[in-house]
Every structure is written in C-alpha cells, then in structure tokens.
Amino acid sequence: MNVDILTLGCSKNLVDSERLLHQFEAHGFTTYHNPEQTHGGIAVVNTCGFIAAAKEESINVILELCQQKEAGNLKQVYVMGCLSERYMSELQEEIPQVDKFYGKFDWDQLLKGLSQRYDFRSANERQITTPPHYAYLKIAEGCDRKCAYCAIPLITGKHISRPIEDILAEVRTLVNQGVKEFQIIEQELTYYGVDLYHKQCIAELVEKIAETPGVEWVRLHYAYPNQFPDSLLEVISKHDNICNYLDIALQHISDNVLQRMHRHVTKQETIDLIRKMREKVPDICIRTTLLLGFPGETDEDFEELLQFVKETRFNRLGAFVYSEEEGTYAANHYKDDVPESVKQERLDRLMELQRGISEELNQELIGSVLKTIIDKQEGDYYIGRTAYDSPEVDGEVYINKAENLQVGKFYDVLIQDATDYDLYGTTQYEQ
C-alpha cells in the first residue's frame, strides 16, 4: 500500500502528480513524492518528453526503478506522463520490465489497473508537495501554437481552458489549506479563454484570483509575445497582490530565426512589447527563455541576439540549445546544421553575459527594502524570495537564522549585499 510518485519535468507535471497523490491517499495508500529512497511498494514515474535531455533523464529513472524491482526492492513500476504519451509502443518494446505504461492523462486507467476507482468528483483536489504557503495553479492544458521546434502540441493536444469558476473554486480550497502565493501556469498563458469564451480572458481571470480573500501573491508564467493583451498589464498594475513579474518566452530576436521558428512575431514587435510592459508596469520583472542553435541560426543572428540581451537587460533569463524533436516542423523540413560545439559555445557566452547583467541589477537593490516570503531554513540562513522571484528558477534572499523568522510568513527585508543571482538581507533595521 506504499506508492512512490516521482515527478520529472515542469511544474505542470507537478500539478498532475499532486492530483494523483490525492487519489491514491483517498484509497488508503501511503504516498511519497520524489523520495530519496523507494518504499518497497508501487513506483509511478510521471515523465517529461520535451527535449532530448529530459527524455534521457526519464528513461534513466525508469531503468533504475526496474533494477530495484528485479532486486526485490519494489513490487511494481508504472510509467505515465509526456514521454509515455508520445513513445508508448517503443517504450513497451524496449523496457518490458515496466508493469504498464500510461499516457499523460490516463490517471483513471492507472487506478483501475490497481483495482481502484478514480473519483472524478475530486479530480481537482491535490496533495500539495511544495512548501504549504505556495502552489502552482494550472489553468489550461495543451497548446494551439505550432512553433516549428516544439513537440508539446503533439503530446498534449489542443489548448483546453479550465472554466473560470472551476479555477476560482480551487483557489479558495487552496487558500483554506494555507496557500498564500499562486504561480499561475499553462503552456500559453495569454491564450487562456479563447477556446471556452471566444476571447482572451487571462486579465479577467487573474483579476478574479487577485480579488479572492487570502490570496497574497499571484505570479504569471509562460506568456506569448504574439497578440499579447494590454488588459493584462493594466490588471497587474492595478492590484498590489499581483507580482510585478511576467514570464514570457521570446526564444530569439533575429527576424530570420523567428520566421523559421514560426513564432509569428518580429523583432520590432518584440521590442515595442517590452517597452510597453515597462511603461505600463514600471517596476516589472521580465523573465524570458531563449533557444540557441536553431537550424539556420547564423553567427550574425546570434550576435544580434547578444546585443538585444545586452540592451534589454532582462531581470531573469534562461536558455537552452536546440534538439531535434521527431514530428515537429523543424525536424521534417530543416537540417540540424549548427554543430553541437557551436550551440554550447553560444549558450555559454549568452549566460555569461546574463550573469553580469543579473549581478549589476542585484547590486542596484542594495539599500532597498523588499517584501520577502520565507520558504525554508537551511544551514545558517532562512531562505526566502521577493515578488520578483519564482520558486526553483530564480534567485533567493538569505537572512541570518539568528533573526528568528517563521517559514511561510512575509517580512520586509533590507538588502545589504548581493551576488550575481542571490541577495542577502536583514529584517532588523531602523524604519
């Protein structure tokens, strides 16, 4: 009756695992999420299949669990999620030691295979695995965009928005459980509502979440630059509990590369959008993701991207190199013509540039007072985040443990020092 659920990949997968944990617990199972050591019963791997590195990690975890099963340390191994959704027949043939493979959304079949019934009435109830004061809130599945490099629409299907009432009910439930901070996530945030209400409704939804009693922070992830709604910026500016933070994946800036990527946005439109964001929300923290080494990316394209990053000075930036994904437009129509060594060199140069920008921006924060939520204690420090920092992916604030703070509470912190990605501060200062 022990179930270990191992979640790989993104926070959207994490929400799926949390819902599955609730279903198992409702049937009397003892559950563990991402345990350091398995507990001898059932292991369920929720896989990622986004890029080559993620697929490799998923397969390695599956093989390791199968070895534990053969050694008698596990009774059963099940695999679900994006990787098995996309490559089920191949995986069944290559790894027959797995008891059964399921797709990304086959949770009811997984429980049925264990002689249990999936309770659809509590489908949105979750066992939170994050620190109890914050949670991820998934507002839609799938994606209607057809970016040339991306396999996600092939895995998750078309964009399906959750009804506003359904989302708000979940927010109220989570607030009652002690959640104060909500990370709103979906594959394409700004498209929310188009399928359900025939218009972009992300601004309306975010405002309703912000107006829910008990919601202290709302943070937005995975916007798209094409057809970005101005109304969302107005809502962010209007509500103090909506963090001045936006995660928007730009991928590139060269018109040559953007066109080949099928991003449906130009360099000038991107520059104009960033300018508008900073005008309407002057304090906004922009996080972006860039893709390097896409087929046809020239040295000139890359230098253009470097110059753009240097001039724009993003608060937060991540990057990854192109890997060819079967079934995508790029795999079918382009030759992967940028050598791996060149891809890695470009990635290294970009991230070194961003490291310097991040350090300069952090240094400018010394002497300011920032509202900070405490996530954990570790070593000699309490570790927290500001409104400009999302869990796991952004920097943190370190505060000496002698100050006797409480995890899950907000404090005003005077920033005393800064490194390239982290801040150091104190709550003990004269106001």
Side-chain angles (χ1 to χ4, degrees):
M1 298 295 284
N2 291 328
V3 178
D4 298 300
I5 295 183
L6 295 89
T7 304
L8 305 174
C10 66
S11 51
K12 296 186 288 296
N13 267 11
L14 180 65
V15 172
D16 295 341
S17 291
E18 290 178 342
R19 290 175 179 159
L20 190 59
L21 283 163
H22 171 79
Q23 293 285 333
F24 273 115
E25 291 188 351
H27 286 293
F29 288 82
T30 301
T31 62
Y32 304 89
H33 184 253
N34 287 347
E36 293 184 5
Q37 185 174 350
T38 54
H39 293 81
I42 298 167
V44 180
V45 189
N46 190 358
T47 57
C48 179
F50 177 43
I51 57 175
K55 289 186 280 190
E56 181 179 354
E57 180 189 20
S58 293
I59 290 170
N60 287 339
V61 170
I62 295 167
L63 292 174
E64 180 182 336
L65 292 172
C66 287
Q67 289 176 356
Q68 292 190 39
K69 178 187 171 185
E70 291 174 351
N73 298 325
L74 275 173
K75 290 184 175 66
Q76 295 166 297
V77 175
Y78 296 98
V79 176
M80 59 179 289
C82 294
L83 188 73
S84 54
E85 176 76 30
R86 192 165 187 218
Y87 299 105
M88 188 173 297
S89 58
E90 294 95 323
L91 290 167
Q92 288 170 336
E93 183 176 339
E94 294 293 329
I95 317 178
Q97 304 96 313
V98 170
D99 290 272
K100 192 160 185 179
F101 290 91
Y102 294 93
K104 180 170 175 58
F105 305 112
D106 294 340
W107 311 338
D108 56 331
Q109 294 301 311
L110 171 58
L111 284 161
K112 185 178 179 180
L114 294 167
S115 302
Q116 306 295 331
R117 182 180 60 85
Y118 186 86
D119 184 1
F120 288 93
R121 294 169 301 177
S122 63
N124 289 328
E125 293 186 31
R126 298 153 56 184
Q127 176 63 47
I128 298 297
T129 60
T130 54
H133 52 273
Y134 74 80
Y136 294 95
L137 185 68
K138 183 160 62 169
I139 63 173
E141 293 284 4
C143 185
D144 283 2
R145 303 286 185 180
K146 291 181 171 59
C147 300
Y149 52 84
C150 186
I152 287 175
L154 302 175
I155 299 170
T156 61
K158 292 182 70 63
H159 187 281
I160 302 175
S161 302
R162 294 174 59 195
I164 289 177
E165 297 77 11
D166 185 36
I167 296 169
L168 294 177
E170 183 177 3
V171 169
R172 290 191 292 268
T173 297
L174 291 171
V175 166
N176 289 337
Q177 293 175 9
V179 175
K180 303 173 182 178
E181 176 186 0
F182 289 84
Q183 321 291 338
I184 300 181
I185 55 171
E186 72 154 287
Q187 192 59 39
E188 212 277 69
L189 185 86
T190 39
Y191 198 77
Y192 173 78
V194 172
D195 58 313
L196 201 57
Y197 305 108
H198 311 295
K199 62 178 182 177
Q200 290 173 300
C201 294
I202 185 61
E204 177 185 348
L205 173 65
V206 170
E207 183 155 46
K208 287 180 181 296
I209 293 171
E211 291 172 346
T212 302
V215 174
E216 297 200 40
W217 269 359
V218 178
R219 190 176 285 103
L220 308 177
H221 288 275
Y222 319 130
Y224 193 91
N226 176 253
Q227 298 177 324
F228 186 93
D230 290 354
S231 56
L232 182 57
L233 298 176
E234 294 166 6
V235 168
I236 294 172
S237 179
K238 177 180 174 183
H239 293 273
D240 290 340
N241 62 344
I242 301 176
C243 298
N244 290 348
Y245 179 107
L246 187 66
D247 191 337
I248 179 167
L250 299 178
Q251 307 301 6
H252 217 282
I253 198 60
S254 161
D255 283 328
N256 168 49
V257 179
L258 290 171
Q259 185 175 11
R260 290 172 64 82
M261 285 181 169
H262 296 176
R263 291 290 287 172
H264 305 293
V265 70
T266 66
K267 175 179 182 176
Q268 191 57 52
E269 287 169 345
T270 303
I271 292 171
D272 291 344
L273 176 59
I274 293 170
R275 183 183 300 116
K276 183 190 299 181
M277 288 176 177
R278 288 174 167 168
E279 286 173 355
K280 290 184 176 294
V281 188
D283 193 33
I284 195 166
C285 171
I286 301 176
R287 160 172 272 282
T288 196
T289 306
L290 301 174
L291 172 56
L292 304 175
F294 188 76
E297 182 190 59
T298 64
D299 289 340
E300 290 76 18
D301 292 327
F302 175 65
E303 293 298 332
E304 186 177 353
L305 180 63
L306 277 185
Q307 186 61 33
F308 169 68
V309 171
K310 188 180 299 184
E311 293 172 356
T312 306
R313 293 173 64 82
F314 290 101
N315 305 82
R316 313 281 183 258
L317 184 149
F320 61 105
V321 299
Y322 172 77
S323 66
E324 187 174 273
E325 299 300 319
E326 303 93 334
T328 61
Y329 184 92
N332 293 334
H333 294 85
Y334 301 145
K335 179 183 178 182
D336 187 1
D337 57 357
V338 181
E340 294 301 318
S341 60
V342 174
K343 292 177 185 177
Q344 187 60 49
E345 180 189 1
R346 289 175 180 174
L347 178 64
D348 293 343
R349 286 183 61 194
L350 174 66
M351 294 314 297
E352 181 59 24
L353 170 63
Q354 178 60 29
R355 188 196 64 76
I357 293 170
S358 179
E359 184 168 17
E360 290 173 4
L361 293 175
N362 276 355
Q363 290 290 328
E364 292 173 5
L365 294 173
I366 294 175
S368 62
V369 175
L370 301 178
K371 183 178 179 180
T372 302
I373 192 165
I374 305 301
D375 281 339
K376 58 188 174 182
Q377 295 182 45
E378 196 171 275
D380 294 330
Y381 293 97
Y382 291 102
I383 300 178
R385 289 173 294 106
T386 72
Y388 313 114
D389 301 301
S390 190
E392 305 296 333
V393 295
D394 293 330
E396 296 172 314
V397 182
Y398 289 77
I399 304 162
N400 194 294
K401 202 160 67 174
E403 297 191 25
N404 194 25
L405 310 181
Q406 292 186 41
V407 172
K409 288 202 170 184
F410 290 93
Y411 296 89
D412 289 331
V413 176
L414 173 67
I415 305 304
Q416 298 172 305
D417 199 4
T419 62
D420 44 8
Y421 293 114
D422 295 319
L423 303 172
Y424 293 80
T426 180
T427 60
Q428 299 175 352
Y429 60 94
E430 292 185 10
Q431 300 189 26

